[in-house]
Amino acid sequence: PGLREVTPRDTTRAREDANQPLTNRPRLSDQLVLRVVQPWRPDARYELELKGVRSVSGVVGDAKGVLAIPKRAPIDTLKAATDSIAPARDSLKRMKKRP
């Protein structure tokens, strides 16, 4: 079940299709998204190695690099607290009189 016999004509057609120029190419990207199990540690360095990366010209190779995670900036809790407080309205301001 699920298997079919391959005829010589099928293999010839597949070979002809493989030799045809591509009509479209996937978009090139210079970004890599990594989904990690645990958050990166601040001020840490990770060595990354990607195997079997294909270049634009079709050459397959390995890529190595270092990912440096910066230190977290200290949070100014006093500034954050004062920024969240709305300024009080001046109750002594004169209201404009309507003509």
Side-chain angles (χ1 to χ4, degrees), residues 25-36:
R25 293 183 180 183
R27 294 178 65 187
L28 296 178
S29 176
D30 62 350
Q31 298 178 356
L32 174 67
V33 177
L34 299 174
R35 295 184 183 188
V36 296

Side-chain angles (χ1 to χ4, degrees), residues 46-80:
Y46 297 92
E47 182 178 320
L48 299 177
E49 182 176 2
L50 304 173
K51 295 188 176 219
V53 178
R54 184 182 312 257
S55 72
V56 175
S57 61
V59 177
V60 177
D62 298 342
K64 293 181 182 181
V66 175
L67 174 65
I69 307 298
K71 288 182 182 180
R72 288 187 185 147
I75 299 172
D76 186 355
T77 55
L78 182 59
K79 182 179 184 313

